[in-house]
Structures are given as structure tokens and as C-alpha cells.
Amino acid sequence: SWDFIERPSHLVMGPDNLIYICECKRTDVFDQSPSAIHIVTLEGENVAKIDNRIGHLHGEDYRAAHAICVDREGSIYIGDVGQPPKGHFGLHKYVRV
């Protein structure tokens, strides 16, 4: 049981054998806390968390992450169904540096 994730909506295993999980916050009682992406080991250790506050630095955010994909270079793609103005529909890409 992983109790550090609230309302997971999708997960995939990346090429690095880590599990990437979309977390979609409840929109009916939205408390302004961001949706997040968790990167977890097979043993359940949460090694990283990316929340939509990072996107604000680049002029975008996501509120309702519903799909995730990781390519072989480690870039993370998030499918978002958030409602404007608090979120944007579409695809967000985060590149590993």
C-alpha cells in the first residue's frame, strides 16, 4: 500500500524500471494543492515528486493529470484534462536534464 499518493489516475513503468504515477486531485473539493507525478521504485520508495508548481515557472500548469508516458530518453509526458483558467487541456512535456 502506497499511502503517499492521493487519487492515482494512471501509471507506467519507465525504461529505467521506475514506476511513474499520475496523481489527480479531487476537483469537487479542490484545495489548491497541485496534482503531481510520483516516481517510485519497485519497492515502493518515492524517489521524486513533480507537482504543477514547476509548470508555473514556464507559464503552464496542470490540474487533472490523467495519463502519463515516459520515453527512452527519460522525458515525461502528461495528458491533462484540467479546466481553464486553472489548468490547460493537452499534453505537457518534462525533459530530464
Side-chain angles (χ1 to χ4, degrees):
S1 174
W2 298 343
D3 59 359
F4 55 88
I5 300 171
E6 180 182 331
R7 220 172 151 221
S9 56
H10 190 214
L11 65 88
V12 296
M13 182 176 290
D16 50 8
N17 289 325
L18 294 173
I19 301 169
Y20 293 75
I21 305 168
C22 288
E23 177 183 60
C24 181
K25 295 292 186 175
R26 291 178 51 177
T27 55
D28 58 337
V29 292
F30 188 66
D31 62 0
Q32 300 303 315
S33 60
S35 290
I37 304 303
H38 293 271
I39 303 172
V40 181
T41 66
L42 294 174
E43 293 77 30
E45 177 188 353
N46 194 18
V47 297
K49 179 180 179 181
I50 304 168
D51 68 37
N52 75 345
R53 287 181 263 235
I54 292 171
H56 285 294
L57 300 174
H58 305 288
E60 62 181 43
D61 66 356
Y62 58 89
R63 292 286 182 198
H66 272 61
I68 188 165
C69 180
V70 182
D71 67 20
R72 69 182 109 183
E73 285 84 33
S75 295
I76 301 170
Y77 302 85
I78 301 167
D80 182 28
V81 297
Q83 296 180 352
K86 296 193 176 178
H88 303 284
F89 295 100
L91 183 67
H92 303 275
K93 178 180 180 181
Y94 293 88
V95 178
R96 185 174 293 197
V97 292

